[in-house]
Amino acid sequence: MSKELTASEELLSGHWNKTVVKLETFIAEILVESNVTLEAVTVLSVLNTSALSVTTTAGPYDVTITQSELVAECLLVGDDSNCSCSTGYIWSNAVCYDTTTCCNNSNCYANVSHYTPLCIAKVNVRINGSVEMQMGMWTSSYVTQLTTSFQDLNGFEGLNITGLRDGDIIADFEVFISVKFDTSRLLNILATLETALSALIQVDTSGMVDMESPVGTLCYRSTPVIKCTFIEATDHAGWNMSRRNERFELNTGSVVSLNYDCATADYQSCTAVTLNEVTGNWAGKYNSVLECGFTKGSVRHTAKTVLTVALLPDDIIMSIDPLTGDCSEKAPTEHITVKVTAMILNTTEIFDVTWTYLGVEQNEQLIPTAGRASCIEEELNGAVWPKSPSEDTVLNRTCERGRVGYMSRTCSGGQWLDVFAACVNEELNKIVGAADNFNQGLGATQEVAETIFAGLKNNTGSGDAEDMADLTASIAILNIMASASGNVELQEEVFPDFVDAASSMLNSTWAGVNNSIKYAMSSNYLESVEGLVKNIKVNTSDGFNTENLELKFCKPANESDCGRTVFGVDVNLNKTSGVIKSVAVKNLVEKLRNNFANSVPNSLLVSTTVSETKDTSIDIVLDFPNEDPGFEDFKCVFWNTTTDEWSTEGCESKRIGNRTVCHCNHLTSFAVLMSKHPINLPFLDEITYVGLGVSICSLLLFLIIEAMVWSAVVKSNLSLFRHTALVNISLCLFLADCSFLASTSPEILSATWCLTMTVLKHFFFLGMFGWMLCLSVMLVHQLIFVFSPLRKRVFMFLSSIVGYVCPILIVGSTFVYYKYTKKDYYNKKTCWLTYESLLIGSMHAFILPVGIVVFTNLFSMVVVIVTLVKSSIPDGSKADKDTAKSIMKVIIFLTPVFGVTWVFGFIMLMLDSGSPMYTFVIYGFTILNSFQGFFILVTGCFAEQRVREEVLKIIMSKVSSKDDGTKTTTANSKAR
């Protein structure tokens, strides 16, 4: 077996050392005996023409010498020895450090002919370092100490001070060596210097590491492998890439794949990087330098290479002037000129450029427009949209200052559609680029991740109509970082900024895009948040809480109970190891596509993940509060990321009281879907709308009548008190009913109007009950304290406080509390207060005051009835009948104005919605309260004799005056 080899020779006074090289180095000794002095040239000429046979453990090899070179020459006379290395060679480390006198390029007078190798080829090794003084400043006298210390290294050629920094505290230096050395020897030198100078010294070397990199030009999108090896074992290995004044630490990502398992017995340290589908980012023509490094102690050994890539443009930016070509007023033979400019980053590459239109390559681009309607030229918000044919979309790359991207607008049926703005905040666009680099593996470190999330927090899009491009970019950043977190281990320090940024993205309704885009964005957002929460490592944190996201963590190995509550949802998972992470999200479920007809999701979505465990069995229980007790059917669902829709597979639902318990055998994002029509009660909505309409008309008529008869019926304090309370009750109920009707379709109302209607209903209903309380208390006072009547000023003052000031305080304090505790004051699906569970939810700021008033008024009604019974003369059946009639009259007259009909509402809360009594109660509640205004008109106006008489008197006077006018006219006619 023969191999083609290169060879180097050493003439050692009768001993010829032959070094044979091919990938691996073979060393053999050739002994030539002679009693005369041998000339090296003679021996070399003999070896060059001789065939050699080399025998190893693998077998014999025939060696053909194609090149030979004199490495060293020795002259031995008796006990005297004189050896020297040839030009380009230097004494090996073994010779230098064993003899201490045979180093560098000097002649050696020791007998070293037995060393193998004796001389070695010079290499270029450079040591770059810095000395940071801990005491005092750097002075020129320290140069001598540095030089003396580094001269202990074989092959030392020189030392330079390259600069001083930080007020002469730090000195940068470089050392030139022509031999590779042991790192331990350099570390000893540095340790001695640090002690002597009272300084910290950091160094890196070049020329010590062997790098294998592709030769020649790489194909665009090819996958090269670059490998670095080092003969010694080291503490750490890594890669960096530098370009355009940037330096990135490489880590495994979508482009970068690192391998540290390539060490061998000869090369104890090894690292390799595979670049998947390289582009211009990695090309040397863009000043990109790839560097590997091995660290041992304070020394880092490096090697660098520049890749040559056959480039294609990564980005092509096209501009058109004018934006559209209008041929509508041109003759068929005329042409118009449209200038299309394609721009790429500056490069020395030469490209073949082709143009296509509708997939067909051509030299000229012709756009037929005949027979198609056009949109006229229009200027909107400073942007000019030229006359364009129907069904064409015009791109305008003019963005306002501080933004990059484009705007587009489609002409449809001769009418311009809304502008779609894809102009992104410049800072946010930079963060997108940084995240993309991170995902590729460029600068994929914890510090860079923290910077990215901090920038995202400060520049996140809000999701308003004019800000949708920023929101889209923000979600893209989350998605990129979620992908990168699968390769790079992120620590919990990124959580605060990540959670804050993700929460702020949900503060709006995302109304600036159509549903299909919104569904895609929300699904992407959910998968990104879930992926990041799962992959980010948790050490000591218990969780994080923001307005729209709440995270809780648990380590079963450290805690006996891993049950957690997030936004009122109880989560329990049967795990004994790993890290359990639960996150609840508000304001997201309504943005996801709902594939279950006649159902609506609750406002919360809960995602639970488990990391750092090999246990694959899952048994999770989630306890959701029922946000709307009116719903009957509650269904546990999870978000299927494959189909992007809700699914019930693997989940069981059970309703317990006002909560829904979900039992599932897998992990993902969970929610509860509620039936829109849980109870099919005929004509319930019709009764409500008709009753409210009748009530509004009745209350308006009552207020008009009261204004007409006021002076006639208010003759005493008692009548003044009664009619004042009735007018205010009617006014509040009238405005409350109007607000109720205005919010019967919450889906078409904006968030602002929905909040406004909720506040108005809350205030006016409380105001109505406040005046009802005043009326009942006044009546009881008059019955009990007959000889101590209320004074007018006292009643009006106290009634105004109870009827208006107290409702204002209740509504205002409730709104402020829920705003600053970052809880929901109102339900966007109903435009009414929220109810989560007992004593939880803003609904209690209505139920509790109303309950107090209703039961106080019930007590007042009982007092009135008891007083009537005691005052009656029990002298037979006639008296009993009169008493019964009086009691019935009291009940009928006082029930509407005391709000007693609202007792049915409290009964509804206590009944099971499936019981027959519930149907009766809900009908009773709807009829009595929707027609409450009509009952007030009847009992407060028509049933009162004085009011009735005054109304009749007014009507009769109008009729009488009309009749008198008629008689006068007739008499005058007869006189003629």
Side-chain angles (χ1 to χ4, degrees), residues 6-10 19 21 25 69-72 85-93 104-105 116-125 154-155 157 177-181 207-208 210:
T6 62
S8 61
E9 301 177 356
E10 302 171 357
T19 303
V21 182
T25 300
E69 184 179 9
L70 181 63
V71 174
C85 294
S86 299
T87 303
Y89 289 83
I90 194 170
W91 300 113
S92 67
N93 287 333
N104 300 328
N105 296 317
T116 303
L118 182 62
C119 296
I120 57 177
K122 289 184 177 181
V123 293
N124 293 321
V125 176
N154 183 30
E157 294 190 353
I177 309 291
S178 56
V179 179
K180 293 183 179 182
F181 50 81
M208 297 283 289
D210 296 323

Side-chain angles (χ1 to χ4, degrees), residues 613-630:
T613 182
K614 296 181 180 180
D615 185 5
T616 59
S617 62
I618 298 296
D619 183 18
I620 185 172
V621 178
L622 302 99
D623 189 348
F624 286 85
N626 295 337
E627 298 172 344
D628 193 333

Side-chain angles (χ1 to χ4, degrees), residues 41 46 152 211 271 494 563 619 657 710 769 893 959:
V41 176
V46 173
D152 289 343
M211 174 180 277
T271 179
V494 305
D619 183 18
W710 184 265
F769 280 101
F893 275 66
V959 173

Side-chain angles (χ1 to χ4, degrees), residues 696 699 703 724-740 760-772 802-804 807 932 936:
I696 290 172
L699 292 169
L703 293 173
T724 299
L726 286 175
V727 167
N728 282 280
I729 290 171
S730 302
L731 179 63
C732 290
L733 182 57
F734 172 77
L735 296 174
D737 285 348
C738 289
S739 301
F740 188 94
L760 291 177
K761 287 185 287 185
H762 193 186
F763 171 73
F764 286 125
F765 275 123
L766 288 182
M768 177 189 73
F769 280 101
W771 281 101
M772 287 179 175
V802 175
Y804 291 116
Q932 187 176 5
I936 290 177

Side-chain angles (χ1 to χ4, degrees), residues 853-926:
V853 172
V854 169
F855 288 103
T856 301
N857 290 355
L858 271 175
F859 173 77
S860 300
M861 185 180 293
V862 172
V863 170
V864 172
I865 294 173
V866 170
T867 304
L868 286 174
V869 171
K870 287 183 177 180
S871 62
S872 301
I873 302 174
D875 58 353
S877 60
K878 182 178 180 181
D880 293 338
K881 291 179 180 180
D882 290 340
T883 302
K885 289 180 180 180
S886 298
I887 293 173
M888 290 300 299
K889 185 178 179 180
V890 167
I891 295 174
I892 292 173
F893 275 66
L894 294 184
T895 294
V897 295
F898 276 14
V900 177
T901 54
W902 284 72
V903 171
F904 283 88
F906 291 93
I907 296 174
M908 285 170 55
L909 295 177
M910 296 183 288
L911 290 176
D912 186 355
S913 58
S915 66
M917 182 60 69
Y918 184 83
T919 304
F920 170 77
V921 172
I922 196 171
Y923 270 116
F925 177 81
T926 303

Side-chain angles (χ1 to χ4, degrees), residues 204-209 211 291-294 300-304:
D204 60 68
T205 74
S206 60
M208 297 283 289
V209 175
M211 174 180 277
E291 176 187 289
C292 65
F294 297 95
R300 184 170 184 264
H301 301 292
T302 66
K304 299 178 181 179

